[in-house]
């Protein structure tokens, strides 16, 4: 099995699970099953492995549902940063942003699987039906329900506007970092959308916001307060191959933020400070 195929499978599993650690585990399990199987009976190894990874991911999602329901605060996906890496390249091609993965958490496991296969990796309905072990009609119905659920979530968060190009977003994020570090609340309010949201994930292991913070004014006051209490150093970075930030405290990585920029304004900030999710991974 080539490194390229393993990277493809990890990228697919990451779309399902939002966790690189879990994705690596189930891909390793799938590869072990492949090695132990009668390979002369497997006409298409790529399709076989995709199906096994998908079935393992469904089981993993089901078992994770309760843990995430009792998770302290919001659960955010594990960010991918530290480019370049095979994973970063694969996630760039698949457009698996933290914002999208966060929304996918609202879906049931089978809905999420179908959505990722169809919308992110562009599989045909025939291929999806074979992978999911369902009829094409059933898969299409799962997609209808997934889109309805995501549409409600996007409407609630005001994310109907398209994302801007990375070059534009990078300029806005540079202004955002400078405004926070200089304590320029007026400038910050000019960058944040009125209905912006900040979502944090400390995993109960480090201080973080337990509930989303809504509104530019509340977010600005929160950021001003945190920056005034701690000697934080923030730099622009690629997070899931989109513009974001890395924040350092006393020489240690304190958090990774994915920044969602739409219509020239910051609409969402996804701040991951759970230390278990802050180790860059490479295949």
């Amino acid at each position: 099995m080539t490194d390229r195929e393993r990277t493809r499978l990890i990228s697919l599993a990451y779309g399902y699970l939002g966790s690189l650690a879990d994705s690596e585990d189930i891909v390793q399990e799938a590869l072990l099953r492949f090695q132990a199987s009668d390979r002369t009976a497997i006409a298409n190894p790529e399709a076989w492995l995709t199906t096994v990874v998908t079935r393992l991911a469904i089981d993993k999602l089901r078992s994770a549902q309760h843990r995430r329901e009792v998770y302290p605060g919001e659960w955010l996906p594990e960010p991918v940063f530290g480019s370049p890496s095979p994973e970063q390249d694969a996630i760039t091609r698949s457009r698996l942003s933290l914002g999208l993965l966060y929304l996918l958490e609202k879906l049931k496991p089978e809905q999420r699987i179908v959505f990722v296969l169809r919308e992110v990796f562009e599989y045909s309905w025939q291929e999806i039906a074979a992978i999911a072990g369902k009829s094409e009609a059933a898969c299409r119905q799962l997609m209808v329900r997934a889109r309805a659920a995501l549409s409600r979530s996007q409407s609630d968060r005001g994310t109907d506007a398209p994302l801007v190009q990375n070059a534009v977003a990078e300029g806005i994020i540079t202004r955002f970092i400078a405004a926070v570090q200089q304590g320029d609340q007026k400038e910050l309010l000019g960058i944040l959308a009125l209905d912006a949201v900040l979502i944090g994930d400390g995993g109960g292991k480090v201080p973080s916001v337990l509930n989303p913070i809504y509104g530019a004014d509340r977010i600005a006051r929160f950021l001003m307060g945190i920056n005034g209490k701690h000697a934080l150093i923030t730099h622009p970075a690629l997070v899931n191959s989109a513009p974001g930030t890395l924040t350092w405290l006393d020489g240690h990585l304190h958090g990774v933020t994915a920044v969602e920029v739409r219509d020239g304004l910051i609409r969402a900030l996804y701040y991951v400070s759970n230390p278990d999710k802050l180790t860059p991974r490479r295949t």
Side-chain angles (χ1 to χ4, degrees):
M1 187 56 55
T2 65
D3 290 341
R4 181 178 180 180
E5 175 63 7
R6 184 173 179 272
T7 297
R8 182 191 72 83
L9 292 170
I10 289 176
S11 181
L12 179 67
Y14 177 69
Y16 294 152
L17 303 174
S19 166
L20 278 171
D22 289 343
S23 298
E24 290 168 352
D25 288 345
I26 69 168
V27 168
Q28 183 63 26
E29 174 64 23
L31 292 174
L32 289 173
R33 292 188 185 189
F34 178 73
Q35 292 168 359
S37 66
D38 178 6
R39 278 176 260 180
T40 61
I42 300 174
N44 187 332
E46 180 179 316
W48 190 92
L49 284 165
T50 299
T51 299
V52 172
V53 166
T54 299
R55 304 287 173 82
L56 290 172
I58 289 174
D59 292 341
K60 192 75 174 179
L61 285 170
R62 287 172 176 163
S63 67
Q65 280 184 324
H66 175 68
R67 293 198 304 274
R68 293 181 185 179
E69 286 171 0
V70 298
Y71 190 81
E74 293 289 308
W75 188 94
L76 286 174
E78 182 181 343
V80 176
F81 58 100
S83 181
S85 73
E87 288 166 346
Q88 195 85 346
D89 291 341
I91 288 168
T92 298
R93 292 192 297 272
S94 59
R95 307 180 306 280
L96 289 167
S97 69
L98 253 63
L100 173 61
L101 291 167
Y102 175 72
L103 286 176
L104 293 184
E105 284 296 307
K106 314 302 179 184
L107 302 181
K108 295 179 180 179
E110 289 82 2
Q111 293 173 348
R112 180 167 182 159
I113 294 297
V114 170
F115 184 92
V116 169
L117 286 170
R118 182 65 177 175
E119 292 295 315
V120 181
F121 290 93
E122 299 180 342
Y123 278 79
S124 70
W125 286 113
Q126 183 179 11
E127 290 171 319
I128 294 170
I131 293 168
K134 297 180 180 293
S135 68
E136 289 187 39
C139 290
R140 289 177 184 272
Q141 186 59 39
L142 285 169
M143 176 61 87
V144 168
R145 293 171 181 168
R147 283 175 172 160
L150 292 176
S151 179
R152 288 193 297 272
S153 296
Q154 289 176 322
S155 178
D156 291 343
R157 292 176 48 239
T159 56
D160 293 330
L163 290 167
V164 304
Q165 295 297 315
N166 276 9
V168 176
E170 287 168 1
I172 293 169
I173 290 170
T174 299
R175 290 173 54 202
F176 166 77
I177 292 172
V180 172
Q181 292 181 339
Q182 295 168 13
D184 189 341
Q185 187 167 350
K186 182 178 179 181
E187 170 71 0
L188 189 56
L189 288 173
I191 300 169
L192 293 166
L194 289 176
D195 58 353
V197 59
L198 184 152
I199 299 168
D201 176 358
K205 300 186 176 184
V206 296
S208 181
V209 294
L210 289 177
N211 299 306
I213 299 176
Y214 294 97
D217 185 62
R218 292 183 64 196
I219 293 172
R221 284 188 280 112
F222 172 78
L223 293 174
M224 294 291 105
I226 292 295
N227 197 66
K229 292 178 182 178
H230 304 284
L232 299 174
I233 299 175
T234 302
H235 298 291
L238 287 177
V239 179
N240 287 43
S241 297
T245 70
L246 302 183
T247 298
W248 303 80
L249 177 63
D250 298 329
H252 299 284
L253 183 62
H254 183 269
V256 177
T257 306
V259 184
E260 208 169 84
V261 180
R262 299 174 186 273
D263 287 340
L265 296 171
I266 293 175
R267 300 276 178 172
L269 297 157
Y270 303 94
Y271 187 76
V272 181
S273 54
N274 182 343
D276 293 342
K277 300 181 180 182
L278 296 184
T279 302
R281 297 177 183 274
R282 286 170 168 78
T283 52

